[in-house]
Amino acid sequence: MIKKLKTFTIRMIAGANMATVLIMLLVGYSDRLYPADHPILSTAGMTFPVFLLINIVFLFFWLMFKWRMVWIPIVGYLLAYGPISIYLPVNRQQTLPEDALKIISYNVCAYGGNYKYEDGFGYIADYLHHEQADIVCLQEDVDSWRQYAFKEYQRTYAYNDTLVLIKEPTSYNALGIHTRFPILRRERIMYPSLANGSAAWWLDVQGDTVIVINNHFESCHLTKDDRQQYRQILHGEITGDSARTGSKLLLIKLAEANAKRCRQIDAVCRYMEEHQQYPIIVCGDFNDNPISFSRYAMAKRLTDCFAETGKGIGLSYNQKAFSFRIDHLFCSKDFTPYNCKIDSRMDASDHYPLICWLKIRQKP
């Protein structure tokens, strides 16, 4: 009787492990779903790390109690190698070529200092001056002292430009570029959005025309109350019907944002295809995690620099309970990327800077 009960228990646990692996695979490849057609399902990628962790628990369980069954979680990880390598890449540190371009993409949160620094703009300007990047793309580049900001940035960057996306009493957003290279022209990539946008800057980079597309895609529009409620649900402070209602409302907001964002991604992809004869860099605040249609659509056309050369999870959004890599950087095949990373030392915004080096490949 005891032997039968033990066999039954092992089979039940094995079944649960297989179910976990199946869900992990479905979630891991959910980035193929088009959010406008499947808005709710397209949010599944956010849960991918949860199933990674559950599978680890199963792995340790089998190692301790039934090592012959360890093949289940291992096969699961092998089958999920694609999304795992995107969400959690493991790449070696590379030796930088001397002529590699240093690129920084950074949502500066309107220079608000992340409620830690009184002079948020000064702290960020000093950081960027110290980093000595060749091209800096900023989102929410909207400080109220525009002339002062340009004067400060000119200490490091000869060419500066900002595109204001919206300027109203309750909403102010802009995209900025600060670079060592001459700006040939700027084109806004048009798509419907109240306060977000994308712009292409054409730069003269050592005689080559390079297109740099800076983006601030649709956010999830979660209020402070929404975020607080989400944290309370995670910590078990809200349970029962209240938790279910709160979770449903959050899911609806995420789904609606995904549906809007995919149209914006489409517009940028069309622009890239129309100008594919030029070297292209795409970066910015995607407001979307690595297992998402947003990243997948870009990665089909360009190289995901963090997945290709980064290391670890690379959390770029630093607010508690919402830690994801939502800032991304891509490049066309005209570049070789090196050592893409998130600089978590710089905490003057609700985002961390994304840094990468790109070397222009020699034309045959």
Side-chain angles (χ1 to χ4, degrees):
M1 182 68 181
I2 295 176
K3 186 177 180 180
K4 289 183 178 179
L5 181 61
K6 183 179 178 181
T7 301
F8 175 76
T9 302
I10 291 296
R11 288 178 178 175
M12 289 292 292
I13 296 173
N17 193 176
M18 290 178 181
T20 298
V21 168
L22 177 59
I23 296 172
M24 181 175 68
L25 292 174
L26 292 174
V27 168
Y29 291 99
S30 64
D31 54 3
R32 274 69 171 172
L33 296 174
Y34 191 59
D37 298 331
H38 308 281
I40 298 293
L41 292 176
S42 68
T43 66
M46 296 180 65
T47 66
F48 185 65
V50 174
F51 293 101
L52 286 180
L53 291 174
I54 294 174
N55 206 40
I56 287 178
V57 173
F58 279 114
L59 178 64
F60 282 110
F61 174 83
W62 295 127
L63 287 172
M64 292 176 63
F65 298 104
K66 193 75 172 178
W67 67 268
R68 291 182 180 178
M69 302 298 289
V70 78
W71 66 269
I72 300 175
I74 290 177
V75 168
Y77 283 132
L78 291 175
L79 293 175
Y81 174 78
I84 290 174
S85 66
I86 293 168
Y87 192 87
L88 186 66
V90 180
N91 297 292
R92 294 181 179 181
Q93 188 79 6
Q94 301 162 288
T95 301
L96 287 176
E98 292 184 0
D99 54 350
L101 305 176
K102 185 176 184 179
I103 316 295
I104 294 180
S105 177
Y106 189 17
N107 183 323
V108 296
C109 195
Y111 301 106
N114 203 16
Y115 308 105
K116 296 181 179 181
Y117 303 98
E118 183 176 350
D119 182 12
F121 170 75
Y123 195 77
I124 289 172
D126 288 343
Y127 168 80
L128 294 176
H129 177 72
H130 177 266
E131 287 297 311
Q132 293 290 305
D134 296 289
I135 301 172
V136 175
C137 291
L138 301 182
Q139 302 86 45
E140 299 188 30
D141 186 15
V142 296
D143 75 282
S144 57
W145 323 289
R146 176 51 48 203
Q147 292 181 347
Y148 172 69
F150 266 56
K151 184 177 179 180
E152 283 297 302
Y153 281 136
Q154 285 170 359
R155 291 191 301 156
T156 309
Y157 308 105
Y159 305 95
N160 304 274
D161 188 37
T162 298
L163 170 66
V164 175
L165 302 172
I166 184 171
K167 187 175 182 181
E168 295 180 355
T170 58
S171 183
Y172 191 5
N173 196 8
L175 299 170
I177 190 168
H178 308 282
T179 175
R180 301 183 188 281
F181 304 114
I183 298 173
L184 302 177
R185 71 175 186 266
R186 177 189 73 200
E187 294 180 348
R188 181 167 183 178
I189 301 174
M190 301 304 297
Y191 51 71
S193 181
L194 293 176
N196 304 281
S198 301
W201 276 272
W202 295 53
L203 306 183
D204 181 353
V205 179
Q206 302 168 354
D208 288 319
T209 298
V210 173
I211 299 176
V212 180
I213 303 177
N214 189 6
N215 305 276
H216 190 286
F217 291 120
E218 197 75 26
S219 72
C220 298
H221 305 292
L222 299 181
T223 65
K224 289 184 179 180
D225 290 340
D226 291 334
R227 298 174 192 275
Q228 179 62 27
Q229 186 179 56
Y230 176 68
R231 295 187 186 101
Q232 290 174 336
I233 292 172
L234 287 182
H235 295 148
E237 298 171 10
I238 298 178
T239 58
D241 291 340
S242 296
R244 284 190 290 272
T245 301
S247 299
K248 184 177 180 180
L249 291 175
L250 288 172
L251 183 61
I252 290 172
K253 284 194 173 185
L254 293 172
E256 289 176 345
N258 278 2
K260 292 179 181 178
R261 195 181 301 116
C262 70
R263 306 295 191 190
Q264 300 168 4
I265 295 289
D266 287 344
V268 174
C269 289
R270 284 195 299 271
Y271 186 91
M272 291 190 305
E273 290 168 358
E274 291 168 0
H275 302 90
Q276 58 184 309
Q277 67 271 32
Y278 295 98
I280 295 177
I281 300 169
V282 176
C283 64
D285 179 2
F286 278 50
N287 274 307
D288 220 340
N289 72 92
I291 310 300
S292 64
F293 173 81
S294 301
R295 193 219 67 91
Y296 174 73
M298 289 292 174
K300 283 202 308 182
R301 298 165 173 85
L302 305 173
T303 300
D304 181 340
C305 296
F306 192 91
E308 189 76 15
T309 69
K311 185 185 300 182
I313 297 175
L315 305 178
S316 67
Y317 187 66
N318 57 44
Q319 299 303 287
K320 292 181 180 179
F322 288 89
S323 298
F324 292 100
R325 186 169 81 246
I326 65 174
D327 298 87
H328 303 278
L329 193 150
F330 302 85
C331 65
S332 62
K333 60 183 179 181
D334 306 277
F335 298 96
T336 301
Y338 293 86
N339 299 339
C340 195
K341 65 177 184 178
I342 302 296
D343 189 355
S344 58
R345 301 169 303 166
M346 183 54 183
D347 59 353
S349 168
D350 53 359
H351 292 243
Y352 294 129
L354 172 61
I355 304 175
C356 190
W357 286 262
L358 303 177
K359 177 177 171 56
I360 300 178
R361 292 179 175 171
Q362 296 297 323
K363 297 179 181 179

